[in-house]
Structure formats: C-alpha cells, structure tokens
C-alpha cells in the first residue's frame, strides 16, 4: 500500500457509485454541471455546500428520484457498481430497492411501527412471513430503536418523537437490505441528542453499507465522514478525505466555506 | 381611546351574534323537517309497515317492504358501478392526470356535479330504457351512478391531494412502483376522507327521485330482478304523497321518515369514519 496515493483514486472494486461528467437541469436551470466523483464502498461520504449548490440533486440522481420531477434533463452518467442507473435495461424499482434513502423530514407511513419496517421486505419478497418478525427486530436494532419501541410495535409510527421517527425511517430503509444508504440532511429536523444518536448509528453501519450523507452541518461531516465533497453553484469544487477538506483544503472556495465566510 | 375600545367590542359582539343567528337559521329548517317527520310519520311505523307491500288503492294498511328492498338493491348496484369508477378516476386525476386530458376530465366532473338530476334521468331513459323497451332497476342504478361518479371523483382527488408528497417518495425509494405506491400508501392514507365522500354521495342519491321516475319507474310489488321496474323509498314517497287517499298520505309520512333516518345513519357513519388515528391528530 502506498500511503502517498491520493484518496480520490480507488480500486474499481471498492467504488460503490461512480459519477462521470454528470450534469442535470431542472427545466432550463442547470443544477449540476460536469460532476466527476467516485464514492467508495463501505465508507461514509458527505456532500456539503450552501443551499442550492446541487448536492441533494446529485444524491437524488443516484436512485433516480429526480425522475419524478417533470421537465428534468441530464447528461453524463452515474453507475452503481458497474451498471449505469440510466441504462434502459435497468428497472428503477429494482435500483431503488438496492439503494435505501432517508429524507430530510422523517416520513413514516401512517401505519404501525412493525408495518413501517416490514413494508419494504414484504413487497420485495425478501423473506417469508415467519421470518418477518426477526427481520423487523434486526432492522430496529440496527437503527438503535428496538429498546424504545419493542413493547409497542403495534402503535403508529407517526406517534413517535421526531428523532425516533427518523430512526424508524432508517430501520425501514435497512430492512430492505440495501447496498447503499443515501441520507438527505437526515438530522436537520432533530435536536442535538437525537442527532448524536443518528451519527453514532451511521458510523456503526458503515461496516455493512456504503453511506452517502448530504448535510449542512460541517461539524457533522467532519465527525462522521471519511470523505467529503464540497459543492458550490452546481459544481464539485473539491473532493478529498474529510481530514484534508476540513484542515487543509486546496481550493480557496472550500476554505472560505468551511471557515464560515459564506454559505 | 376608551370610546374606540368599547366601539370595537360592540362591533365584535355584533359580528359574533350575527354568525350565531346565521348558524341557527341554517339548522332550524333541518330540525323542523325532522320534528315534523317524526310527528307525522312515527305513528305509521310498525312491524307491518316494514314487512308488507303497498295495499290496493283505497284499501287500508300496507307497507313499504318492496320499497326498502328496492332502495337497497338500486343503491347497492349504484355503489357497485360508481365507486370503482369514481375512486379510480380520482386516483388518476391526482396521481397521473396533470396534463390536458386530466384537466378536461376534472372540468367535466365539475360540470356533471352541477347537472340537474332529472336531466340525467331523461338521458338514461334515451340511452337504456328506450332501446331495452322497458323500465328497469338497472337503468335506475346507471342514472344514480352518473350522479355519484363526479362527486366521488372530486372528493377522492381532493383527499389524495392532502397526502404529503414525502410519503410517496418514501414508498418509491423502497422500490415500490408508482401504481403500488398510489394504492398501498396514498389511497390508504386518504381512505377515511374518501369514505366520507362516498357516504355523502350515496346518502344524497338514496333520496333522489326525479332520475328514477324515468328509469326504475316504481313497482307496487316486491321485486328483486334488476332487469324489472322496481320501487324505492323515494318513489314510494312520491306515489303515496301525490295520491288521493288519506291512508296513502299517512304512509308517505312514514316512508319519508324511514328515508330520512337512512340518510341520517349514512351521515353519522361518515362522521365516525373520519375519526381515525391519523386524521384526529
């Protein structure tokens, strides 16, 4: 192993998502332009940057959630593993099953806690009904929610506190056995204690999953991310190990942003 | 300042009083109808009333068994025809139909909501009764369906529009197709509201008379064949109330009371259906 090797260059085996010359338009508005980026597998990668810089757009492009927005257009390519997500042969429902997503606002279904978690595996036929109880418990344990809800799995997920709801949403994503977990500002609606719990959780989960997190909280990115990408005005400005980004960034814009001079 | 304040208070009290008077005026006619119906109709209602068919003209006694059965069959068939179409169209309009065609369907539904029911009756008469050569309960159900479909379409669409988009995204991100997301998450979440809309629509057409005069026609006998003319409570009220015999007028009040009670029950069920966990929050 050559320790001088720049972290941006990785073996193809360990690349979970590769973004190649990717641009995206909402109608006539260019939201992302010519982004090149490799997301390493089984690590935490953070996207940072001021609002409107395109980081959420990129995240939502990976599992093609942007398809739902009428009038969108893209150029370039994104590959998960070796397969392009834009390949006509690819089934978007299958792609989304393999990529879990957690949103900015907790969005549990108006169903019981159990049904919230069982919802994905049930559809995708991942296990028999008899195995479902075990799978739900495992997912809730992974999301560090089991001890708080094990006695009331039949109450509505919408009745939990905000932080619990967000962990329920993480459990719901994990129960689907994704390879990649995308999180779009998952802690922005949560208090510091709930935020800390989710951060600890993500660090634990990275041994099993590739994690990509969009965050406005720079300390959060510095604490949990192995690699950090800084976006500004639709461009990827700098992408490196979090240590480099937060201690000795190469680009002026990056330094200005992380030191709070704009954004 | 003091003058100004007391003046404000006076205006405020006057406005509050005015809305209270308006509320009373709105309720009084409904209450008066109910009291009057109970006063006039309750004495006619006994077991015989429910199990007997109408007696021969001028004879004493008789009941509305055939009309109750007919109302149940015709309204039941209406629900069978109209609810899948109405709910389906509402789902389409909110989940998919954002283009020109969707706009057109919504517009037509609005126009149909305002169409006088007697015109629907005449329309179904030319469409079904004349080609078939005879009146039928089925034609009555089709006429009522034409009234129910636009009501249910619009309420379904409105209720689905209230479901937050984040729930759709959550389901799609788990690998659900759009159709399954619509059915298992969006419609399920909006279901209490849709149920209310359905019950209100069904309650409204249960009392419809005009479109049935041209389609189901009415029948003095107990019939269950949907291809034959059939009596309903509303038609029975019409026949009894416009007839020449005091005995018929007595029975008309009884039938009217049963009809209003039925609609009342639909309304109550609709009220309770909305009080689920999700909507009560």
């Amino acid at each position: 192993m050559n320790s001088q090797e720049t972290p941006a260059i990785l073996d193809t085996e360990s690349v979970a998502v590769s973004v190649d010359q990717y641009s995206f338009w909402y109608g006539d508005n260019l939201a992302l332009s010519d982004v090149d980026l490799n997301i390493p597998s089984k690590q935490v990668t953070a996207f940072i940057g001021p609002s409107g810089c395109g980081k959420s757009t990129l995240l939502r492009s990976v599992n093609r959630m942007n398809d739902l927005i009428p009038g969108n257009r893209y150029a370039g390519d994104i590959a998960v593993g070796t397969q392009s997500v834009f390949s006509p042969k690819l089934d978007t429902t299958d792609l989304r099953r393999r990529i879990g997503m957690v949103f900015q606002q907790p969005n549990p279904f108006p169903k019981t806690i159990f049904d919230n978690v069982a919802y994905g595996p049930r559809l995708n036929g991942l296990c028999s009904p008899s195995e479902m109880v075990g799978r739900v418990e495992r997912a809730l344990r992974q999301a560090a929610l089991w001890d708080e809800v094990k006695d009331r799995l039949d109450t509505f997920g919408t009745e939990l506190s905000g932080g619990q709801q967000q962990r329920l949403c993480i459990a719901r994503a994990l129960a689907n056995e994704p390879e990649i977990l995308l999180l779009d500002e998952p802690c922005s609606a949560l208090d510091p204690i709930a935020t800390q719990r989710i951060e600890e959780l993500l660090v634990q989960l990275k041994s099993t999953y590739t994690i990509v997190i969009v965050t406005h909280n720079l300390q959060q990115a510095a604490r949990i991310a192995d690699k950090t990408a800084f976006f500004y005005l639709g461009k990827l400005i700098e992408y490196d190990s979090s240590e480099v980004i937060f201690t000795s960034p190469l680009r002026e814009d990056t330094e200005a942003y992380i030191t709070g001079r704009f954004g | 300042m003091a003058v100004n304040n007391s003046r404000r208070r006076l205006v405020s009290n006057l406005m509050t009083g005015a809305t209270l008077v308006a509320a009373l005026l709105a309720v009084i006619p409904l209450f008066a109808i109910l009291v009057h119906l109970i006063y006039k109709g309750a004495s006619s209602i006994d077991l015989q009333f429910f199990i007997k068919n109408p007696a021969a003209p001028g004879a004493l006694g008789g009941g509305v068994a055939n009309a109750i059965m007919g109302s149940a069959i015709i309204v039941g068939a209406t629900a069978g025809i109209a609810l899948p179409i109405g709910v389906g169209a509402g789902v389409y309009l909110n989940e998919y139909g954002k283009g020109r065609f969707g706009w057109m369907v919504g517009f037509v539904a609005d126009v149909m909501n305002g169409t006088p029911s007697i015109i629907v009756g005449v329309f179904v008469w030319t469409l079904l009764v004349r080609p078939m050569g005879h009146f039928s309960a089925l034609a009555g159900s089709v006429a009522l369906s034409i009234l129910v479909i636009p009501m249910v379409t619009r309420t379904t669409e409105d209720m689905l529009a209230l479901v937050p988009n984040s729930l759709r995204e959550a389901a799609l991100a788990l690998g659900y197709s759009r159709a399954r997301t619509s059915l298992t998450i969006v419609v399920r979440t909006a279901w209490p509201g849709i149920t209310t809309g359905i019950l209100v629509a069904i309650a409204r057409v249960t009392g419809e008379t005009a479109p049935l005069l041209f389609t189901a026609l009415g029948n003095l006998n107990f019939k269950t064949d949907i291809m034959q003319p059939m009596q309903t409570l509303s038609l029975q009220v019409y026949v009894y109330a416009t007839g020449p015999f005091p005995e018929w007028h007595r029975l008309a009040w009884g039938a009217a009371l049963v009809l209003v009670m039925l609609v009342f029950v639909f309304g109550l069920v609709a009220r309770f259906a909305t009080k689920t966990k999700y909507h009560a929050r």
Side-chain angles (χ1 to χ4, degrees):
Chain A
M1 283 287 279
N2 181 357
S3 60
Q4 292 304 105
E5 187 181 280
T6 49
I9 301 163
L10 295 148
D11 314 332
T12 40
E13 278 179 5
S14 60
V15 173
V17 180
S18 60
V19 181
D20 183 21
Q21 289 290 302
Y22 185 71
S23 301
F24 187 89
W25 292 261
Y26 293 108
D28 291 330
N29 293 330
L30 180 65
L32 279 174
S33 100
D34 287 340
V35 174
D36 277 299
L37 167 104
N38 282 336
I39 294 169
S41 77
K42 299 196 178 175
Q43 291 192 39
V44 178
T45 302
F47 291 175
I48 61 168
S51 295
C53 68
K55 56 197 186 310
S56 288
T57 301
L58 181 59
L59 193 78
R60 293 168 58 93
S61 292
V62 175
N63 64 345
R64 298 214 15 210
M65 290 300 280
N66 283 332
D67 286 16
L68 307 172
I69 298 156
N72 74 67
R73 202 150 56 82
Y74 73 92
D77 196 17
I78 296 177
V80 170
T82 54
Q83 189 180 26
S84 164
V85 301
F86 300 109
S87 157
K89 277 180 288 179
L90 179 125
D91 178 8
T92 50
T93 59
D94 182 52
L95 175 77
R96 291 181 187 139
R97 192 201 68 66
R98 286 162 47 207
I99 302 178
M101 190 166 213
V102 176
F103 298 83
Q104 191 169 354
Q105 294 289 334
N107 54 359
F109 299 127
K111 296 173 182 289
T112 64
I113 292 171
F114 185 91
D115 283 344
N116 260 282
V117 181
Y119 194 72
R122 208 173 268 158
L123 164 86
N124 296 304
L126 296 183
C127 64
S128 66
S130 58
E131 292 164 337
M132 190 62 82
V133 178
R135 176 177 284 253
V136 168
E137 177 178 341
R138 199 163 66 242
L140 285 168
R141 279 189 193 282
Q142 278 182 304
L145 188 60
W146 174 252
D147 290 333
E148 291 160 62
V149 300
K150 63 183 174 197
D151 299 323
R152 49 179 175 139
L153 292 175
D154 55 348
T155 57
F156 268 48
T158 41
E159 286 173 14
L160 297 171
S161 74
Q164 289 173 326
Q165 286 190 17
Q166 196 62 304
R167 276 180 282 147
L168 178 63
C169 292
I170 293 175
R172 179 175 67 188
L174 295 180
N176 226 5
E177 284 189 348
E179 296 149 29
I180 300 167
L181 193 58
L182 307 175
L183 303 105
D184 191 355
E185 296 179 48
C187 302
S188 64
L190 304 183
D191 67 40
I193 294 164
T195 300
Q196 194 193 343
R197 298 213 59 169
I198 301 225
E199 286 181 10
E200 288 164 3
L201 179 64
L202 294 180
V203 172
Q204 284 167 24
L205 290 176
K206 77 170 176 180
S207 59
T208 327
Y209 304 94
T210 299
I211 294 172
V212 187
I213 180 170
V214 166
T215 180
H216 276 290
N217 183 335
L218 299 178
Q219 285 80 17
Q220 181 171 65
R223 278 192 299 264
I224 65 172
D226 300 290
K227 302 194 68 176
T228 297
F230 171 61
F231 291 84
Y232 185 51
L233 299 176
K235 288 198 164 70
L236 175 62
I237 305 294
E238 190 167 355
Y239 178 45
D240 215 319
S241 72
S242 298
E243 202 188 331
V244 171
I245 293 281
F246 288 106
T247 56
S248 51
L250 301 172
R251 304 288 298 265
E252 231 171 84
D253 282 340
T254 313
E255 188 175 355
Y257 183 69
I258 61 165
T259 54
R261 269 184 274 149
F262 73 89
Chain B
M1 280 307 266
V3 179
N4 218 341
N5 255 340
S6 64
R7 201 195 122 111
R8 271 189 213 162
R9 207 169 298 140
L10 181 71
V11 172
S12 168
N13 287 341
L14 277 177
M15 293 310 285
T16 311
T19 55
L20 179 67
V21 170
L24 282 175
L25 286 177
V27 176
I28 284 172
L30 301 177
F31 197 67
I33 289 172
L34 200 61
V35 170
H36 198 67
L37 273 179
I38 292 171
Y39 171 69
K40 290 274 204 176
S43 59
S44 305
I45 295 179
D46 51 23
L47 187 62
Q48 298 297 310
F49 188 77
F50 286 106
I51 59 172
K52 281 202 163 169
N53 293 327
L60 291 181
V64 293
N66 62 333
I68 291 174
M69 190 62 185
S71 276
I73 290 173
I74 289 181
V75 172
T78 301
I81 298 168
L83 298 187
I85 298 175
V87 172
V91 170
Y92 174 82
L93 285 184
N94 194 63
E95 300 292 299
Y96 305 96
K98 294 301 173 197
R100 184 177 298 212
F101 176 70
W103 183 88
M104 213 179 69
V105 172
F107 180 73
V108 169
D110 282 343
V111 172
M112 276 172 64
N113 259 336
T115 306
S117 57
I118 194 159
I119 291 176
V120 172
V122 175
F123 169 72
V124 174
W125 184 81
T126 51
L127 186 79
L128 281 181
V129 177
R130 237 170 81 104
M132 286 167 74
H134 58 88
F135 295 94
S136 67
L138 180 66
S141 291
V142 169
L144 296 186
S145 296
I146 292 174
L147 295 170
V148 169
I149 288 169
M151 287 191 265
V152 171
T153 299
R154 274 308 198 191
T155 23
T156 301
E157 185 191 359
D158 291 346
M159 291 303 137
L160 296 184
L162 294 177
V163 176
N165 218 17
S166 60
L167 288 184
R168 288 184 187 84
E169 290 196 327
L172 290 169
L174 287 172
Y176 272 64
S177 65
R178 277 187 79 180
R180 272 186 103 135
T181 301
S182 295
L183 288 180
T184 61
I185 289 298
V186 183
V187 173
R188 279 282 286 280
T189 305
W191 193 245
I194 296 173
T195 315
T196 308
I198 287 172
L199 286 167
V200 168
I202 292 292
R204 224 204 82 186
V205 297
T206 303
E208 278 289 351
T209 320
L212 295 178
L213 287 170
F214 292 90
T215 50
L217 184 66
N219 200 319
L220 288 174
N221 301 312
F222 192 93
K223 293 283 180 195
T224 53
D225 181 358
I226 195 155
M227 299 313 286
Q228 293 299 313
M230 199 181 277
Q231 192 69 307
T232 70
L233 277 167
S234 55
L235 287 170
Q236 189 71 63
V237 171
Y238 178 75
V239 170
Y240 276 155
T242 54
F245 312 106
E247 176 70 3
W248 276 21
H249 297 162
R250 187 180 68 78
L251 291 168
W253 284 112
L257 180 60
V258 172
L259 185 56
V260 168
M261 283 301 162
L262 214 62
V263 173
F264 189 66
V265 168
F266 277 128
L268 275 183
V269 173
R271 268 285 158 122
F272 283 109
T274 47
K275 285 195 175 173
T276 68
K277 260 179 184 168
Y278 189 65
H279 278 248
R281 284 165 63 83

